[in-house]
């Protein structure tokens, strides 16, 4: 098949936006979802749908099973098939577990882990009959090396990596691959406040003495897309911070 179809969750900003644009540049038809209709999101949607007319942006709450089902059904009707799912959506709510409110715990688990499970389940309903497909999950260095106040965030990212390995075993007989990428500290909107106050300290802890950029994550996505002999793997892209 000459035309490929991809879904990217959390595709309106940061790493997700870079993945969307990189897939479009590679000739994919891309559907992506977003949760909040901010001016920045509206500007991006206007730009990307003007430059790539077949792009499909959908506003959805991925923490709700019904919304996920509706989202994937919308993509299915528009595209007819899905070749690649990039589970990228993620939020942060750092705080000490002893004083963390239940609503924040649920928010993290529902957005950062449950959404990956729900989206994968719905997409597999298309990939299994077509006997092909690839799921790439975006994890985090926090799964291996969390900071104080990241107990729940780290747990969701560790869950993503376990999900990646277990699901790879489950769907390999259907010719479907499942892999993950664990970024370190990447320069995005999400990390802007952290870098504003702690960049010098962060750089000192990274072997390569700098934070990453989104193109270094998209290149890892492309590598996984092109290497068809990899499944169940987690690729770390963190500048060597885990060795410091």
């Amino acid at each position: 098949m000459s035309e490929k179809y991809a879904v990217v969750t959390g595709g309106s900003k940061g790493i997700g936006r870079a993945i969307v644009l990189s897939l479009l540049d590679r000739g994919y038809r891309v559907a992506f979802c977003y949760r909040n209709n901010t001016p920045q999101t509206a500007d991006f949607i206007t730009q990307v749908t003007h430059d790539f007319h077949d792009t499909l942006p959908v506003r959805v709450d991925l923490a709700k099973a019904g919304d996920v089902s509706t989202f994937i059904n919308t993509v299915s009707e528009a595209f007819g098939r899905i070749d690649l799912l990039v589970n990228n959506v993620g939020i942060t709510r750092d705080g000490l577990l002893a004083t963390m409110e239940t609503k924040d715990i649920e928010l993290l688990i529902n957005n950062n882990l449950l959404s990956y499970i729900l989206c994968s389940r719905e997409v597999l309903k298309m990939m299994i009959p077509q006997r092909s497909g690839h799921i790439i999950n975006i994890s985090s260095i926090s799964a291996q090396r969390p900071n104080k106040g990241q107990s729940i965030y780290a747990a969701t990212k560790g869950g993503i990596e376990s999900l990646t390995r277990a699901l790879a075993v489950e769907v390999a007989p259907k010719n479907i691959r499942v892999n993950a990428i664990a970024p370190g500290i990447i320069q995005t909107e999400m990390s802007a406040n952290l870098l504003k106050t702690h960049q010098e300290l962060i750089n000192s802890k990274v072997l390569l003495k700098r934070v990453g950029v989104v193109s270094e994550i998209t290149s890892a996505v492309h590598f996984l897309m092109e290497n068809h002999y990899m499944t169940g793997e987690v690729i770390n892209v963190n500048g060597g911070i885990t060795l410091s």
Side-chain angles (χ1 to χ4, degrees), residues 83-125:
D83 300 292
L84 173 67
L85 166 66
V86 181
N87 280 314
N88 163 78
V89 69
I91 64 170
T92 59
R93 288 291 188 281
D94 289 358
L96 298 178
L97 181 58
T99 57
M100 201 169 188
E101 294 188 19
T102 301
K103 66 179 179 62
D104 289 328
I105 294 173
E106 292 175 343
L107 196 66
L108 279 167
I109 293 173
N110 290 344
N111 282 277
N112 290 7
L113 180 57
L114 181 60
S115 73
Y116 284 49
I117 295 170
L118 295 176
C119 288
S120 296
R121 181 184 68 178
E122 295 306 310
V123 165
L124 285 172
K125 293 175 183 178

Side-chain angles (χ1 to χ4, degrees), residues 195 197-205:
L195 294 176
T197 55
H198 295 99
Q199 182 152 4
E200 187 174 331
L201 175 62
I202 291 167
N203 289 349
S204 71
K205 293 181 177 294

